[in-house]
Structures are given as structure tokens and as C-alpha cells.
């Protein structure tokens, strides 16, 4: 077998590549096979040579004992481990790790049959031992790396969900604080528009906390409904006027068709719009204006927030919706507002995009499927 493998090494590698290429979503490259079949063949040949020379210790050092060694990897085990790790990085599944070595076994037996090359029983046992150890080590490393990757992603997801809760609670608390301050300065009652902003902010905080508790218990609840775009804009306007006054900016809101409607989670979409407005007030130049409008365009409703931030630096538009990204010297936030807004909009089958107006500012656009209240 040793001579057979040595003389037909390139043919066997070529056959393995052909088998790999036939499998769905799997292309064979030298990079993919660098720690796989070629090295395995070389180590198998040296294992067979060690056994022919009656050097069992050398054979075990190269390819490991029967049943593997949990305390120390053999030379073959180390390269198989690297192969399993590489295949995970390339996006493959655990069955493809096993198939890589199975392809070689089939290629050896097929070619031996074609060339009428008989092998001794002991050589087959060595081949099976090497395949068994290599597959076990490759799969073990693949599974370990995959589990680590999943755990890391779950940790990131949990951090992002916690960040969402903290961010939205802080927004609602900030609006409530502005409302209380306005009520105190104007000596007003809570029965007016400013009082409504306070009540709505407190209600938003209660909803966020209730939703978080519900998700912990049994998963996120379904809260989609069809509602008026005009009333949504009115709610956003009332709260935003307080922020506009504090920021020293003008705030313009265009009239909205009273029959226009959208379907989704109203609280989350209102929070998404509030995030866009707060972002606009944060970055727009002093004494400029922020514009909010909503209108229908074909089968969609567009809600636009336009600011006067002076325009976006090159390359920023593509990155600004990523979580925990902050693009100014003001680090008071978490860098989650735009990311949360986009997630909320996309959860209701919409899109959130930004258009740069060089030298002037930018326009954030929420697009959602259009519904009607009739």
C-alpha cells in the first residue's frame, strides 16, 4: 500500500477534488485542502513505512494509537484539527469534514480495484486507524470551534438586546424628564399635550419592561396592528417639540393624509422614529431646522426625517446602521439608536435608508407597506 500511495498520490488528490466539487455548495481549492488530504496522505505513507520497518512507536507518534489519544494529539491529529478549523471558517458543515476523509478512502479502494493492486489485511487496518483518528480529531475541533462561535454570537446577541432595552428606556426617561421640566416651568397641568407626552413616555417604559419580562418567560409577543400614520406622526411631533426647544432648532412637520395607515408594532415604530429625530437634533447645525413628513408612494408609505448636519463624510452611510458605532465626538450614547431603528422597521417588513445631501445634511427614510383605514 505504501508504494501504491506514493506512486498514485497526485491521482488520489485529484479524485478527491473531483468528488468534493460534485457536492452542493462545496468547491475544492488548494487552500481548503492544505491541512487535509495531501498532508493526510503523506502521514499515512510515513505511518505504513514505520510499520514496515517495525517501528511501532514512530507509527503511533505520526498517526496515533487505535481509538485515538485524548491526552496528546499525534502529528496526524494536529493537521486534522487544523483542517476541521479551516472548514468551519469557510462555512462548511460537520458532514463535509467527514466526507473529505471518506472521499480519500473511496478513491484509494476504487483506484486499487482498477489497478488490480491487492493490499494486506494489516495495511487496511492501518488505513482505517488513520482515517478513524483523523476524522475524530477534525470533527472534535470543528465542533469545539463551532460551539465557541455560537456561544460568542449568543453573547453578542444578548448584549445587543440588553443595549436595546437600556437605550429605549433612556430615551423614554429623557422625554419624560423634558416633559416634567416643561410642566414645571409653565405651571401647567398634566391634562394637556405636554402631560400626554409624559404619560406616553411612562407608558413606553412600562411596555419595554413588560416586553422584556415576556421575552424572558416565553419569547417576544406578537404586537402588530394597523394604525394611522397621521396619529403616529402627531405623537412623534409632540415629543420631538420638547427636544427641539431644548436643542434650539426649528421643527417642521408636514400635514399627513388622515386615511393613510401602516401595519406593525406601533410602539417600536414610534421608538424608531423617535430615534431618527433624536439623531437629527443631535447632529444638525445650531439654529437650523429638522423636517418630518409622511406620504404615500405607490404601495408604500414613506416617513422622512431631514436634518442640516452638513452632509456625511465618505463611507459613513454604509456603516452608520451597525450596532455600537458612534460617528461623532459626542459619546453620551451607546451607538445603538440607528441600529435599533432599522431592526424595528425591518421587523415589520420595511426598510430604513439614509440619503446624503452633500453640503446640507441627510434624509433618513422609513418605507413600509401601505394600508388604509377605510
Amino acid at each position: 500500500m505504501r508504494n501504491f500511495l506514493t506512486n498514485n498520490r497526485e491521482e488520489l488528490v485529484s479524485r478527491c477534488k473531483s468528488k468534493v466539487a460534485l457536492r452542493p455548495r462545496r468547491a475544492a481549492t488548494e487552500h481548503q485542502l492544505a491541512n487535509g488530504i495531501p498532508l493526510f496522505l503523506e502521514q499515512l505513507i510515513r505511518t505504513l513505512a514505520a510499520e514496515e520497518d517495525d517501528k511501532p512507536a514512530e507509527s503511533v507518534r505520526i498517526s496515533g494509537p487505535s481509538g485515538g489519544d485524548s491526552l496528546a494529539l499525534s502529528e496526524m491529529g494536529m493537521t486534522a484539527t487544523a483542517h476541521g478549523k479551516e472548514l468551519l471558517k469557510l462555512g462548511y458543515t460537520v458532514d463535509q469534514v467527514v466526507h473529505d476523509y471518506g472521499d480519500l478512502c473511496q478513491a484509494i479502494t476504487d483506484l486499487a480495484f482498477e489497478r488490480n493492486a491487492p493490499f494486506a489485511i494489516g495495511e487496511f487496518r492501518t488505513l482505517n486507524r488513520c482515517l478513524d483518528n483523523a476524522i475524530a480529531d477534525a470533527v472534535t475541533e470543528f465542533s469545539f470551534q463551532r460551539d465557541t462561535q455560537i456561544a460568542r454570537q449568543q453573547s453578542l446577541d444578548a448584549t445587543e438586546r440588553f443595549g436595546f432595552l437600556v437605550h429605549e428606556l433612556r430615551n423614554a426617561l429623557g422625554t419624560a424628564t423634558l416633559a416634567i421640566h416643561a410642566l414645571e416651568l409653565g405651571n401647567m397641568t398634566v391634562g394637556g399635550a405636554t402631560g400626554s407626552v409624559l404619560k406616553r413616555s411612562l407608558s413606553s417604559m412600562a411596555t419595554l419592561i413588560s416586553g422584556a419580562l415576556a421575552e424572558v418567560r416565553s419569547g417576544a409577543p406578537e404586537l402588530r396592528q394597523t394604525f394611522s400614520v397621521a396619529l403616529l406622526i402627531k405623537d412623534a411631533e409632540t415629543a420631538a417639540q420638547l427636544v427641539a426647544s431644548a436643542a434650539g432648532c426649528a421643527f417642521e412637520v408636514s400635514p399627513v393624509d388622515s386615511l393613510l395607515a401602516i401595519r406593525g408594532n406601533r410602539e417600536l415604530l414610534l421608538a424608531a422614529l423617535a430615534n431618527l429625530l433624536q439623531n437629527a437634533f443631535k447632529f444638525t447645525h445650531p439654529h437650523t431646522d429638522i423636517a418630518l413628513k409622511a406620504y404615500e408612494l405607490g404601495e408604500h408609505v414613506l416617513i422622512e426625517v431631514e436634518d442640516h448636519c452638513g452632509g456625511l463624510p465618505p463611507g459613513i452611510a454604509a456603516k452608520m446602521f451597525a450596532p455600537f458605532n458612534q460617528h461623532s465626538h459626542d459619546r453620551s450614547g451607546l451607538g445603538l439608536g440607528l441600529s435599533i431603528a432599522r431592526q424595528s422597521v425591518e421587523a415589520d417588513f420595511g426598510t430604513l435608508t439614509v440619503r446624503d445631501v452633500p453640503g446640507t445634511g441627510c434624509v433618513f427614510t422609513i418605507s413600509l407597506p401601505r394600508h388604509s383605514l377605510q
Side-chain angles (χ1 to χ4, degrees):
M1 181 180 286
R2 178 174 66 85
N3 292 333
F4 175 83
L5 296 178
T6 301
N7 296 333
N8 296 284
R9 188 175 185 276
E10 297 304 319
E11 173 66 17
L12 291 170
V13 171
S14 176
R15 290 194 178 201
C16 286
K17 285 186 178 181
S18 298
K19 291 178 184 296
V20 165
L22 292 175
R23 290 200 291 275
R25 300 188 302 277
R26 182 79 154 87
T29 66
E30 291 296 336
H31 177 70
Q32 290 170 290
L33 295 175
N35 287 306
I37 300 308
L39 275 180
F40 177 86
L41 265 176
E42 185 267 332
Q43 290 160 347
L44 174 59
I45 290 170
R46 289 196 289 116
T47 298
L48 290 166
E51 294 191 350
E52 287 179 9
D53 296 338
D54 195 24
K55 297 179 179 179
E58 177 69 5
S59 172
V60 170
R61 186 194 67 79
I62 297 170
S63 54
S66 179
D69 184 353
S70 59
L71 299 179
L73 284 177
S74 63
E75 182 182 325
M76 183 175 286
M78 293 176 66
T79 55
T81 294
H83 186 54
K85 187 174 182 178
E86 283 183 1
L87 290 183
L88 177 65
K89 289 180 180 178
L90 292 166
Y92 301 130
T93 59
V94 68
D95 65 297
Q96 289 169 326
V97 178
V98 177
H99 278 311
D100 272 4
Y101 293 101
D103 288 340
L104 176 61
C105 182
Q106 185 176 348
I108 291 173
T109 54
D110 287 349
L111 187 60
F113 178 79
E114 294 169 15
R115 304 283 171 84
N116 193 26
F119 300 141
I121 294 176
E123 292 176 325
F124 267 116
R125 286 176 178 165
T126 299
L127 171 61
N128 286 335
R129 171 170 61 85
C130 290
L131 286 170
D132 184 37
N133 288 344
I135 290 172
D137 290 327
V139 169
T140 298
E141 180 64 17
F142 181 95
S143 299
F144 171 76
Q145 293 292 335
R146 181 196 57 196
D147 292 345
T148 301
Q149 191 179 83
I150 291 172
R152 187 181 298 117
Q153 186 59 49
Q154 287 175 338
S155 177
L156 290 173
D157 291 344
T159 300
E160 191 169 335
R161 285 197 301 273
F162 181 69
F164 167 87
L165 178 62
V166 171
H167 183 277
E168 295 303 288
L169 282 173
R170 191 191 65 168
N171 282 353
L173 180 60
T175 302
T177 302
L178 286 175
I180 290 174
H181 185 60
L183 288 170
E184 290 175 341
L185 286 178
N187 196 25
M188 296 178 289
T189 67
V190 295
T194 304
S196 295
V197 172
L198 174 59
K199 293 173 185 176
R200 193 158 47 247
S201 297
L202 294 174
S203 176
S204 294
M205 285 190 278
T207 299
L208 285 166
I209 294 170
S210 296
L213 290 173
E215 185 173 356
V216 169
R217 293 189 184 112
S218 58
E222 174 62 46
L223 297 172
R224 303 183 76 239
Q225 58 179 307
T226 300
F227 55 89
S228 166
V229 176
L231 292 179
L232 179 77
I233 296 299
K234 184 63 178 176
D235 287 347
E237 176 187 3
T238 306
Q241 286 290 4
L242 295 173
V243 184
S245 298
C249 298
F251 182 43
E252 300 176 359
V253 182
S254 302
V256 182
D257 183 350
S258 61
L259 296 180
L260 204 57
I262 52 180
R263 180 170 176 76
N265 186 317
R266 191 182 192 280
E267 288 296 322
L268 290 184
L269 289 175
L270 180 59
L273 182 53
N275 274 319
L276 296 183
L277 289 168
Q278 288 186 8
N279 185 77
F281 288 122
K282 181 177 180 180
F283 291 104
T284 201
H285 291 165
H287 311 300
T288 58
D289 62 287
I290 305 296
L292 171 62
K293 60 182 177 180
Y295 57 95
E296 64 176 293
L297 183 66
E299 295 300 314
H300 290 82
V301 171
L302 302 185
I303 302 174
E304 294 183 347
V305 175
E306 183 176 358
D307 65 31
H308 283 81
C309 65
L312 299 174
I316 291 296
K319 303 176 183 177
M320 60 196 316
F321 292 102
F324 301 108
N325 271 334
Q326 295 176 304
H327 304 290
S328 77
H329 298 298
D330 184 345
R331 300 290 173 172
S332 58
L334 296 172
L336 282 171
L338 294 179
S339 174
I340 291 170
R342 173 172 274 186
Q343 289 179 30
S344 298
V345 172
E346 290 180 346
D348 286 317
F349 311 104
T351 60
L352 171 56
T353 56
V354 62
R355 175 168 54 88
D356 182 31
V357 184
T360 302
C362 53
V363 181
F364 287 89
T365 303
I366 295 174
S367 176
L368 289 160
R370 178 173 60 84
H371 291 262
S372 175
L373 295 177
Q374 288 182 322

